[in-house]
Amino acid sequence: MDNTTWMAAHPGQLYFIFVGLFHQSQHPALLCMVIFVVFLMALSGNTVLILLIHSNAHLHTAMYFFVSQLSLMDTVYICVTVPRMLLGQVTGMNKISVPECGVQMFLYLTVGGSECFLLAAMAYDRFVAICHPLRYPVLMNHRMCLLLASGCWFLGSVDGFMLTPITMTFPFCRSHEIHHYFCEVPAVIKLSCSDTSLYESLMYLCCVLMLLIPVTIISSSYSFILFTIHRMNSTEGRKKAFATCSSHMTVVILMYGTAIYSYMLPSSYHSPEKDMVVTVFYTIITPGLNPLIYSFRNKDVTRALRKTLSECCHGGNSSVGNWHTNGFFSFSPQVDV
């Protein structure tokens, strides 16, 4: 929506003001420093993980391809919300223009929706690797992985394209103060002076589908995985299978738990303070934890990191794989996460 249309519908209001996280804190400077450190950890951790997966031939498997996509989404996610919030705290300028608010809303909806579906794709990958190891090279080939990743990004963008324009076309005459630290849909909708009940029902239905479909895939995949693990005779095989699933399930619980609270619970459960604390988990903490979950508990990644650091220290050349010439996917089930 252009500025002319907005000015006609909202005379004199071309910006919003964030009344967010630091406003509620007794020690805003300390909180700002902590968030800045977490932001740097998340940004550097996810960037290193992406580069490591791309440059190390041993990590050129379907599983790590999805991990690299998750790191990319987390990088975009945290960059959409945190820098703007920290800049506002440091400079004291907590205003955001309407077009910037719309762009921020679209990006976080797109990336958040894409990550929900990507976690389902990762669960399916683990299901195939553990339950059908002999068919894994065929079922999770290069084309299938690219198709699944592209589908996740597409479905996430559908969420953004659907909710953002509708949200930003409502008349906002109650206030221009958003009781949040970024332009999240529920926080912006509260400022509208029109009846938004129908839209809120539509948004609820959309979020149910966005969460229910991936949750069904994840639940089904892990049910089959647990059944297969129970039938394993090898204790070592059970440990490896549990390890590869535990990392993914930790990320799933963090992501889906906070999303269900934010978008599916009735308004009586919500307050601005609770909403901000919950969104901190999936916009700041989760992107910072994901690279740790997939690196410290992962022997392949730590081994590749040590090898890369050793080669850098000794001036050697790292073996940078190529998707097509060297084979980005080795088609190994890779259950030793």
Side-chain angles (χ1 to χ4, degrees):
M1 182 174 57
D2 56 31
N3 287 341
T4 304
T5 306
W6 177 268
M7 290 177 67
H10 312 80
Q13 184 179 332
L14 291 173
Y15 61 87
F16 292 112
I17 298 176
F18 291 126
V19 183
L21 208 58
F22 301 109
H23 180 74
Q24 305 292 333
S25 174
Q26 296 181 350
H27 306 283
L30 178 61
L31 181 60
C32 182
M33 183 61 64
V34 171
I35 292 176
F36 180 66
V37 171
V38 174
F39 170 73
L40 290 181
M41 289 174 58
L43 190 61
S44 58
N46 283 296
T47 302
V48 168
L49 198 54
I50 292 171
L51 295 175
L52 197 63
I53 291 172
H54 177 73
S55 63
N56 196 286
H58 294 290
L59 301 181
H60 289 182
T61 64
M63 182 179 71
Y64 292 112
F65 169 73
F66 289 128
V67 171
S68 68
Q69 290 294 304
L70 180 66
S71 292
L72 177 61
M73 292 176 183
D74 283 338
T75 301
V76 176
Y77 210 10
I78 199 167
C79 287
V80 166
T81 56
V82 175
R84 183 68 181 75
M85 174 181 63
L86 294 176
L87 183 64
Q89 174 62 20
V90 173
T91 63
M93 298 294 292
N94 292 315
K95 294 181 180 180
I96 185 171
S97 67
V98 171
E100 288 177 327
C101 184
V103 170
Q104 187 183 60
M105 184 181 296
F106 169 76
L107 289 175
Y108 100 80
L109 284 172
T110 297
V111 178
S114 301
E115 189 163 329
C116 285
F117 286 103
L118 182 69
L119 292 174
M122 294 173 73
Y124 173 74
D125 171 68
R126 294 299 83 207
F127 159 72
V128 177
I130 295 173
C131 300
H132 303 283
L134 298 179
R135 299 179 62 193
Y136 187 76
V138 177
L139 295 176
M140 297 304 296
N141 55 38
H142 183 203
R143 181 180 179 182
M144 177 57 70
C145 290
L146 289 178
L147 183 63
L148 287 173
S150 301
C152 293
W153 282 102
F154 172 75
L155 291 171
S157 66
V158 169
D159 188 38
F161 277 118
M162 184 170 60
L163 295 182
T164 304
I166 300 176
T167 303
M168 299 306 294
T169 51
F170 279 109
F172 301 104
C173 53
R174 290 178 180 172
S175 171
H176 59 185
E177 292 185 345
I178 300 176
H179 288 270
H180 218 299
Y181 57 88
F182 69 100
C183 290
E184 190 180 35
V185 173
V188 175
I189 284 296
K190 290 178 181 179
L191 306 183
S192 176
C193 55
S194 61
D195 183 14
T196 61
S197 57
L198 180 61
Y199 173 60
E200 289 178 10
S201 299
L202 174 65
M203 183 174 64
Y204 178 81
L205 178 62
C206 176
C207 293
V208 167
L209 292 175
M210 291 286 290
L211 293 174
L212 184 61
I213 295 174
V215 165
T216 302
I217 296 172
I218 292 171
S219 301
S220 301
S221 298
Y222 278 103
S223 296
F224 285 112
I225 287 172
L226 290 174
F227 180 71
T228 302
I229 291 175
H230 179 71
R231 295 170 57 188
M232 286 182 177
N233 295 323
S234 171
T235 304
E236 185 65 23
R238 288 184 180 183
K239 289 181 180 180
K240 289 181 179 181
F242 272 121
T244 189
C245 296
S246 61
S247 296
H248 183 250
M249 283 305 300
T250 303
V251 177
V252 167
I253 292 170
L254 287 172
M255 181 67 185
Y256 283 90
T258 53
I260 289 172
Y261 171 86
S262 298
Y263 291 94
M264 294 182 64
L265 289 184
S267 57
S268 58
Y269 288 87
H270 291 264
S271 69
E273 293 77 16
K274 288 181 181 179
D275 290 347
M276 280 188 285
V277 171
V278 170
T279 50
V280 164
F281 276 90
Y282 68 83
T283 60
I284 302 175
I285 296 178
T286 300
L289 287 178
N290 284 352
L292 301 180
I293 292 172
Y294 284 106
S295 59
F296 284 165
R297 300 184 70 252
N298 190 309
K299 295 179 181 179
D300 290 333
V301 174
T302 53
R303 190 183 302 119
L305 181 59
R306 286 196 297 267
K307 180 182 177 182
T308 301
L309 292 175
S310 177
E311 289 173 346
C312 290
C313 292
H314 292 86
N317 294 321
S318 61
S319 56
V320 178
N322 183 276
W323 281 38
H324 303 289
T325 58
N326 293 339
F328 186 80
F329 302 105
S330 67
F331 301 122
S332 169
Q334 292 286 347
V335 295
D336 56 338
V337 176

